Amino acid sequence: MLDALGQMGPVSQVKLARELALTAVSMSTMTARLLAAGLIEKQIDERELHSNVLTLPKRGQRMLKEIHRQWQPQPARQGDQPNHPTAGQLGADIRAGESGSHAPGVLNCHQAG
C-alpha cells in the first residue's frame, strides 16, 4: 500500500482498494493500521465529501525508501545460494501470471494512467 501511494500520490481510498484488488474490509483494516503508525494520512475529499483521500507523509516516504533499500538485489558472492527474488520481480511474476494467481495488494506499475 505504501508503494502504491508513493507511485500514485494522493488517491481516494476506494480507488486505491480497487487498484490493489482489496476488499473494503481489508482496505479499512490496512488503512487503520498504517494511520495508527503514522505512515499514511487520511483527509476528506473536498470534491466528494463522502470519500477519503490517502496521502504518504514524510514518515511514510522514509519508510518506503527504507523498504526499497532493503529489497535491492545483492550481488552474489562465490559459494552463496542464488539470490532471492526482489519484491519487483515477484510482482512482475504475479502480473505475468507465473504464480498461477493474482495476489491482493500488488499494483501493476506498468498500467497506463
Side-chain angles (χ1 to χ4, degrees):
M1 188 166 156
L2 294 178
D3 192 53
L5 277 173
Q7 292 179 46
M8 297 173 72
V11 65
S12 78
Q13 190 169 338
V14 171
K15 182 176 181 180
L16 186 59
R18 202 170 30 242
E19 289 291 322
L20 297 175
L22 295 172
T23 65
V25 172
S26 294
M27 186 65 179
S28 293
T29 301
M30 194 179 309
T31 298
R33 289 178 180 167
L34 292 172
L35 283 167
L39 296 174
I40 65 171
E41 292 177 347
K42 177 169 76 170
Q43 301 168 348
I44 294 175
D45 188 340
E46 295 173 3
R47 295 170 289 153
E48 295 183 44
L49 298 178
H50 65 280
S51 181
N52 294 315
V53 173
L54 302 177
T55 58
L56 197 61
K58 296 268 188 231
R59 182 175 179 168
Q61 292 171 15
R62 286 191 304 269
M63 176 63 76
L64 183 56
K65 283 182 183 180
E66 181 62 19
I67 290 168
H68 285 165
R69 188 184 72 74
Q70 292 289 329
W71 277 92
Q72 290 299 312
Q74 301 297 315
R77 296 178 298 198
Q78 188 172 0
D80 280 352
Q81 295 293 326
N83 286 340
H84 295 287
T86 65
Q89 290 166 328
L90 290 172
D93 290 348
I94 290 167
R95 288 188 297 277
E98 294 176 20
S99 69
S101 65
H102 172 71
V106 175
L107 177 65
N108 187 343
C109 304
H110 306 291
Q111 286 178 328

